[in-house]
Amino acid sequence: MRDREYNPTDIERKWYDFWMDEHYFHADENDDVKPPYAIVIPPPNVTGVLHMGHALNNTLQDIMIRYKRMDGFNALWMPGTDHAGIATQNVVEKALAAKGTSRHDLGREAFIDEVWRWREKHGDLIINQLKRLGASCDWERIRFTMDEGLSNAVRKVFVTLYQEGLIFRSDYIVNWCPRCHSAISDLEVEHEEESGFLWHIRYPFAEGEGEIVVATTRPETMLGDTCIAVNPTDERYTSVVGKEVILPILNRKIPIIADPVVDKEFGTGAVKITPAHDLNDYELGLRHGLDVIVIMDESGIMNENAGPYQGMDRFACRTKMEEDLQEQGYLIDKTPYTVPVGKCYRCKTVIEPYLSKQWFVNTKPLAEEAIRAVKEGRTRIVPKQWEKTYYEWMYNIRDWCISRQIWWGHRIPAWYCEGCGEVIVSEEDPASCPHCESGTLRQETDVLDTWFSSGLWPFSTMGWPEQTRTLEKFYPTNVLITGFDILFFWVARMMMMGLKFMNEVPFHDVYLHALVRDEQGQKMSKSKGNIVDPIIEMDKYGADAFRFALTAFAAMGRDVRISDKRIQGYRFFINKIWNAGKFVLANIEGFDPRSVSPAEADFSLADAWILTELNKTVEAVRTALEEYRFNDAADRLYQFTWHQFCDWYIELSKPLLNTGAAPVTRWVLWHVLKSVLELLHPVIPFVTEEIWQHLPGREGKSIVTAAYPKVDADLDFPEKAREMGYIIDIITGVRSIRGETNIPPSTQLDVVLRMKSKEIEAAVDIYGFFVRDLARVRSIGFIPEGAPRPKRCALAVTAEAEVYVPLEGVIDIDKEKERLSKQMGKMEKELEGKRKKLSNPGFLQKANPEVVAEQRQIKEELEFKLERLLKARELLEG
RNA sequence: GGGCGGGUAGCUCAGUUGGGAGAGCGUCGGCCUUACAAGCCGAAGGUCACAGGUUCAAUCCCUGUUCCGCCUACCA
């Protein structure tokens, strides 16, 4: 503790190891004394690396868990990772490609083994990064979504929902990613607007002259057209409904039909219908019993139904078709048009609406429960504005496509009987078909959406479907802390699954924090090169500074804008704490805090003031944490630590330490430092532990298990604190005069005070050494109220005092006059407002009497100050 | 198309029951005052986007306008 600056690296490692060795983060499910408090971690991808979003998310969780742990709760933070089906498969496939092989070369089983090996090798990375951040997870309980226990939970849930008819298999238009070769859910599609074209194409009548013109943004899909649709009320077309047209190029005959969904205003009012490649078209096709023609394969390559275009990529096909249509005279017009394009959120490939057989969850009935739980307040969404978003989505929820055509994930527990075609869905692998007893069963090759298993996370991690002690004790959890971007993906699904299988909400509170962006508010991305890497930041400034920066910027419902520079700023704060610690420790060496009894101690005004301010801070910080106002908590702690404790109290303690009051002062220094460290510990765990360990009279082996400070009514002295405030005002007044009139600090000043009241004069007199020390004053004189003012003085007026600083030979009189005039100008403006307000009968009549009194007091104070300043200026004239 | 959030000091942002506009950084001036120059002391800087309304009183509540973000959507 002698170092001039705080060096985080070694200290962080040392204490984290210590905490782990002591098992402080382990929650005991058999502890029936402490009330439980539980959080489940949003599981990061097992192949992932820590990014700023993780850092923010886990810092906030760690703050809550550490706070509650200190505050006497049996605190469980359940950690784990997610198998991240598509993402992980992509990563491993890339690695295979680098080795010149592929998953198809390996085959399914060998590939899955390969992924597990990958996970063995790289899966600890993000866990270790979380530890580096200081996350106090109960690592003894770490889970992985592909673990045996969690896989059992997945099977049980799948089978149950299937048996209840809530999971079904069906042909449907899904979002198909031609690169991932898989269906993805609606949520996994990113919508963007792109500039494209609207093509107008003629379809000639099969019989007789004439034609119908349609408008389309995707001409290549006409290869799969099975009709033209018009609105039944559209008079332009009533005569042609029922007729047939010739599909250009392929020369198939297709009918013209009428359907009310067609918008008369759009394009020509006639639309081509491609049921296999558009959701609307598919549904329309069902209504009219239309043929369905799939025109491309799983990679987006045109198939045998595409005639001359077979083998072409879908976009190449579009270009070629346009040429052909043009050449053959079918293309009438091509105009620029903004088209909505869906892209795969994993690989940004343009999604193809694609007809295929998939597994779905009928989410409507589950959503109803999830809506009710929030309506009834069983789960509270914070900040509240997200409730509306949640309801909006839940009310309009659509069937959830849960099957994925990849290999890495929970394989769907369904088997098809080769004998009779029966579908068997079962928790145990069946040996034979229960229907026809055939032994040739083929398991479904699809795996489940990763979010299917994540949806079970709050209870599957606690051992479900077993009825464990852990579940009993810690479910429902207290709060889920996560980014708003996965409100639908994850939170909503946990709500549905938790209510369905546990009959209880998974968490009482959901705190949704904002996303981390760069300084300019841009999303961080590799391509933009604006990534701030948490590990690099921690290397440079330490985990504590990094955590404090994140917390201080985590205002509710706002983006968290962060940059290297801002994190750097908070390192100064950590260093300030370090130095305050050094000062206090140096001054309480050999001191036993038990030698002072706070109940009998004779506290100085400064002691009383800092203790009272400490109480206010404790209260404010606790409230802020309870309400998830993390930035408020950080701000209060910053202000108190730096600007009250360090700037004022430590300075005030210096003169006291040379007097008979030294023992009490030492006790206060010790007590306030200890409290500050404990208050700050959830936010900055490392530096607080390091200093705390050097404190005498600490209870317990670690700050991790120390009691979180409470408001102490016995150490609350509002009266004395107020008096101290007057002294602080005087010191500030003298300093201000010195600063503004450029009197060097080396010049000792003589100060004359004229106090409003005798009592305060007495207090100031007793504690005059504070003023002498902190304002560099040689002598303090008092003159009574009514006595003539000293001449040729600079003046500062506070609420209770006039502070005269003689400036004979020290200062430019004109400058001082100017200074006073400026101050007066400001005050006059303010006073004008007050006078107006107080002469308004409406205000006096209707406003709260307390407010009126307050306003009157402010007015009088202003008048007092102004009058004194005026007199002072007059004296300078003469 | 629907929804949400935002426009406050040069920059980034606080401002929770409507009642004298705040912080950090930056800027300017002065300081090695025995924990800290990664520091200390002082100072400057704002018609709280715009226009109405409610109220004794509006940065705060309501309406409209405008600009910027985000989410959502089956308008070919």
Side-chain angles (χ1 to χ4, degrees):
Chain A
M1 290 276 333
R2 298 252 176 84
D3 297 347
R4 213 171 165 76
E5 15 181 304
Y6 170 65
N7 277 312
T9 320
D10 298 339
I11 288 173
E12 288 175 7
R13 191 172 312 118
K14 174 179 74 181
W15 291 119
Y16 202 88
D17 289 346
F18 172 70
W19 297 331
M20 289 294 281
D21 290 345
E22 298 289 329
H23 301 277
Y24 288 139
F25 305 156
H26 184 59
D28 180 2
E29 66 271 24
N30 294 312
D31 181 334
D32 289 325
V33 180
K34 295 187 203 163
Y37 184 89
I39 298 179
V40 292
I41 200 170
N45 292 356
V46 70
T47 55
V49 289
L50 194 78
H51 58 57
M52 291 300 284
H54 293 127
L56 170 66
N57 176 242
N58 288 291
T59 296
L60 300 184
Q61 291 177 76
D62 198 38
I63 289 170
M64 289 312 289
I65 278 288
R66 284 181 184 268
Y67 160 53
K68 289 294 177 178
R69 188 184 289 123
M70 290 174 79
D71 208 26
F73 287 81
N74 186 8
L76 166 64
W77 187 7
M78 176 71 77
T81 50
D82 189 309
H83 68 278
I86 293 175
T88 305
Q89 175 155 330
N90 283 352
V91 169
V92 177
E93 283 197 88
K94 234 176 241 170
L96 288 178
K99 287 195 281 182
T101 176
S102 77
R103 71 181 162 110
H104 301 286
D105 294 338
L106 290 179
R108 184 162 188 149
E109 273 185 39
F111 176 73
I112 288 172
D113 288 344
E114 184 65 27
V115 182
W116 277 104
R117 270 196 295 280
W118 182 276
R119 186 235 171 200
E120 258 349 282
K121 218 168 138 189
H122 304 283
D124 285 344
L125 176 63
I126 194 156
I127 297 303
N128 289 330
Q129 290 177 323
L130 286 172
K131 290 178 178 173
R132 176 75 201 283
L133 185 68
S136 65
C137 298
D138 188 348
W139 297 113
E140 292 164 47
R141 296 176 189 268
I142 188 165
R143 293 289 191 278
F144 178 49
T145 44
M146 289 288 281
D147 281 350
E148 198 188 340
L150 277 72
S151 300
N152 290 340
V154 166
R155 272 204 174 192
K156 172 122 190 155
V157 165
F158 186 93
V159 172
T160 308
L161 291 176
Y162 180 79
Q163 283 165 352
E164 292 183 18
L166 291 170
I167 283 181
F168 60 94
R169 187 168 182 249
S170 160
D171 278 313
Y172 202 62
I173 298 281
V174 294
N175 305 296
W176 185 268
C177 175
R179 203 223 56 91
C180 300
H181 289 114
S182 178
I184 58 176
S185 72
D186 297 333
L187 284 176
E188 290 165 309
V189 179
E190 284 178 357
H191 297 275
E192 284 175 38
E193 304 235 299
E194 283 190 358
S195 48
F197 296 96
L198 196 58
W199 285 270
H200 285 74
I201 300 165
R202 336 174 1 225
Y203 285 51
F205 292 132
E207 309 278 328
E209 294 295 301
E211 63 192 19
I212 192 161
V213 177
V214 302
T216 181
T217 55
R218 298 193 59 198
E220 72 279 11
T221 61
M222 66 188 287
L223 299 166
D225 283 357
T226 53
C227 83
I228 302 290
V230 296
N231 192 292
T233 65
D234 194 335
E235 287 170 9
R236 289 172 294 177
Y237 298 115
T238 39
S239 64
V240 300
V241 171
K243 283 193 176 178
E244 287 187 316
V245 293
I246 303 287
L247 181 63
I249 299 183
L250 292 184
N251 297 317
R252 276 195 280 115
K253 280 188 195 169
I254 57 171
I256 298 172
I257 63 156
D259 192 286
V261 299
V262 180
D263 179 0
K264 286 191 279 190
E265 308 299 317
F266 190 89
T268 60
V271 60
K272 57 188 269 326
I273 300 296
T274 321
H277 293 277
D278 184 280
L279 183 57
N280 282 323
D281 292 6
Y282 180 71
E283 286 175 347
L284 186 143
L286 283 181
R287 287 197 292 278
H288 297 272
L290 297 176
D291 288 343
V292 176
I293 303 172
V294 176
I295 56 166
M296 48 186 104
D297 69 9
E298 298 177 349
S299 300
I301 306 295
M302 308 310 289
N303 67 12
E304 67 280 3
N305 293 326
Y309 304 99
Q310 183 174 358
M312 295 179 80
D313 174 80
R314 52 190 170 145
F315 297 111
C317 175
R318 179 182 298 175
T319 312
K320 184 70 171 63
M321 276 212 69
E322 185 189 335
E323 282 172 28
D324 293 350
L325 288 168
Q326 171 85 26
E327 216 166 86
Q328 297 176 32
Y330 291 112
L331 186 63
I332 290 182
D333 196 16
K334 176 189 179 185
T335 50
Y337 187 71
T338 307
V339 287
V341 178
K343 294 187 175 174
C344 174
Y345 89 127
R346 285 280 172 216
C347 67
K348 314 294 173 202
T349 303
V350 175
I351 290 301
E352 186 62 37
Y354 196 66
L355 181 69
S356 60
K357 196 169 278 262
Q358 301 288 345
W359 294 85
F360 295 90
V361 177
N362 172 9
T363 37
K364 265 255 178 312
L366 301 171
E368 280 167 18
E369 290 300 314
I371 290 166
R372 187 171 319 140
V374 174
K375 288 253 170 187
E376 289 171 359
R378 273 140 55 211
T379 291
R380 205 164 56 105
I381 299 179
V382 183
K384 208 172 174 3
Q385 73 230 31
W386 289 107
E387 271 185 17
K388 198 164 178 177
T389 312
Y390 171 86
Y391 290 136
E392 195 67 24
W393 189 72
M394 282 293 196
Y395 279 126
N396 299 310
I397 199 163
R398 292 159 55 195
D399 289 343
W400 173 17
C401 175
I402 50 171
S403 42
R404 297 288 177 274
Q405 286 68 47
I406 56 172
W407 289 349
W408 176 239
H410 301 281
R411 196 156 167 185
I412 290 179
W415 288 262
Y416 306 104
C417 174
E418 301 276 340
C420 65
E422 178 80 2
V423 178
I424 305 138
V425 169
S426 138
E427 280 186 61
E428 302 299 327
D429 293 13
S432 62
C433 174
H435 190 63
C436 72
E437 281 163 28
S438 159
T440 39
L441 300 176
R442 190 170 41 82
Q443 188 177 358
E444 169 65 65
T445 53
D446 290 356
V447 301
L448 288 164
D449 181 2
T450 305
W451 297 104
F452 190 88
S453 50
S454 313
L456 317 179
W457 189 250
F459 50 95
S460 65
T461 50
M462 294 190 191
W464 191 88
E466 305 295 318
Q467 281 309 310
T468 61
R469 219 26 215 138
T470 304
L471 268 179
E472 216 174 286
K473 179 118 264 165
F474 294 107
Y475 190 96
T477 64
N478 293 75
V479 60
L480 178 81
I481 298 178
T482 192
F484 65 76
D485 52 328
I486 52 175
L487 176 61
F488 307 139
F489 275 110
W490 194 46
V491 181
R493 281 152 181 177
M494 283 191 287
M495 287 294 288
M496 294 192 281
M497 293 299 200
L499 286 160
K500 175 74 186 168
F501 290 95
M502 297 298 295
N503 292 314
E504 252 187 299
V505 293
F507 18 73
H508 296 304
D509 287 352
V510 175
Y511 175 69
L512 296 169
H513 61 251
L515 265 33
V516 182
R517 296 172 191 282
D518 76 0
E519 223 174 350
Q520 272 79 43
Q522 304 276 317
K523 238 179 186 166
M524 290 189 185
S525 74
K526 275 183 199 154
S527 53
K528 280 187 206 142
N530 60 350
I531 298 263
V532 178
D533 181 345
I535 303 301
I536 293 174
E537 298 307 315
M538 287 193 276
D539 285 344
K540 283 164 81 174
Y541 308 119
D544 288 326
F546 179 58
R547 289 170 58 119
F548 199 93
L550 288 170
T551 310
F553 285 116
M556 244 192 227
R558 287 272 214 151
D559 291 343
V560 179
R561 296 192 186 194
I562 205 119
S563 67
D564 182 84
K565 209 172 118 202
R566 291 182 190 185
I567 297 162
Q568 189 184 355
Y570 285 103
R571 178 181 52 163
F572 302 156
F573 177 55
I574 303 300
N575 203 50
K576 189 75 182 175
I577 297 167
W578 175 255
N579 277 294
K582 249 170 43 184
F583 174 84
V584 173
L585 289 171
N587 281 286
I588 60 173
E589 226 177 303
F591 170 73
D592 180 1
R594 274 156 298 204
S595 66
V596 171
S597 158
E600 292 149 32
D602 180 20
F603 290 116
S604 72
L605 286 194
D607 300 329
W609 174 78
I610 196 70
L611 291 169
T612 306
E613 291 297 322
L614 174 64
N615 270 340
K616 285 189 207 164
T617 306
V618 170
E619 172 76 33
V621 169
R622 278 179 169 271
T623 308
L625 289 179
E626 291 296 334
E627 295 174 5
Y628 309 111
R629 294 192 339 259
F630 297 99
N631 63 317
D632 277 0
D635 191 53
R636 289 301 298 241
L637 287 165
Y638 185 97
Q639 289 302 326
F640 179 77
T641 305
W642 198 317
H643 298 306
Q644 295 187 284
F645 184 54
C646 293
D647 285 352
W648 284 103
Y649 186 73
I650 285 186
E651 294 307 320
L652 292 165
S653 76
K654 286 174 182 173
L656 287 170
L657 286 168
N658 299 322
T659 69
V664 173
T665 307
R666 289 201 177 91
W667 186 87
V668 175
L669 282 169
W670 169 82
H671 174 76
V672 176
L673 175 65
K674 183 168 166 293
S675 301
V676 160
L677 294 174
E678 287 160 356
L679 286 168
L680 278 163
H681 178 257
V683 185
I684 47 172
F686 297 106
V687 69
T688 49
E689 177 76 297
E690 174 67 18
I691 301 170
W692 192 89
Q693 290 287 347
H694 287 85
L695 283 174
R698 61 190 184 277
E699 282 169 18
K701 281 178 74 176
S702 167
I703 195 172
V704 172
T705 53
Y708 204 71
K710 291 186 167 71
V711 171
D712 189 339
D714 294 333
L715 295 178
D716 211 58
F717 312 98
E719 202 54 48
K720 281 175 140 181
R722 198 167 15 244
E723 286 178 14
M724 187 66 218
Y726 301 142
I727 295 176
I728 287 175
D729 286 347
I730 292 168
I731 295 167
T732 305
V734 177
R735 282 173 171 177
S736 182
I737 289 170
R738 188 193 289 278
E740 285 182 66
T741 54
N742 291 336
I743 302 167
S746 50
T747 308
Q748 291 274 331
L749 297 172
D750 297 299
V751 165
V752 176
L753 299 174
R754 198 164 72 160
M755 306 302 298
K756 248 187 187 172
S757 87
K758 272 284 163 203
E759 293 84 60
I760 294 162
E761 182 175 320
V764 174
D765 195 22
I766 295 168
Y767 290 101
F769 59 88
F770 284 145
V771 179
R772 286 198 290 274
D773 245 55
L774 273 68
R776 312 201 135 232
V777 165
R778 181 169 45 202
S779 71
I780 301 171
F782 289 96
I783 54 171
E785 179 80 5
R789 295 168 176 80
K791 285 186 180 173
R792 298 200 159 270
C793 282
L795 171 64
V797 185
T798 72
E800 292 293 322
E802 291 156 72
V803 183
Y804 292 92
V805 178
L807 14 98
E808 204 77 59
V810 189
I811 183 60
D812 184 330
I813 301 285
D814 288 336
K815 232 175 156 181
E816 173 64 7
K817 278 196 287 197
E818 204 180 299
R819 189 182 72 91
L820 292 176
S821 301
K822 208 169 160 191
Q823 277 186 25
M824 286 163 67
K826 268 190 191 169
M827 283 182 194
E828 268 161 1
K829 231 167 121 187
E830 241 180 81
L831 187 58
E832 187 52 34
K834 294 292 145 200
R835 282 191 175 133
K836 233 166 130 180
K837 186 176 269 190
L838 283 160
S839 60
N840 181 340
F843 173 68
L844 298 171
Q845 220 169 52
K846 297 186 184 173
N848 186 329
E850 282 172 33
V851 173
V852 177
E854 191 187 36
Q855 294 299 308
R856 186 161 284 140
Q857 199 201 323
I858 294 167
K859 190 196 96 179
E860 281 161 10
E861 197 177 303
L862 282 169
E863 277 169 343
F864 168 77
K865 287 183 179 175
L866 203 57
E867 186 250 310
R868 307 293 149 129
L869 288 169
L870 195 68
K871 290 276 159 58
R873 197 174 57 180
E874 279 168 14
L875 279 174
L876 285 173
E877 308 268 349

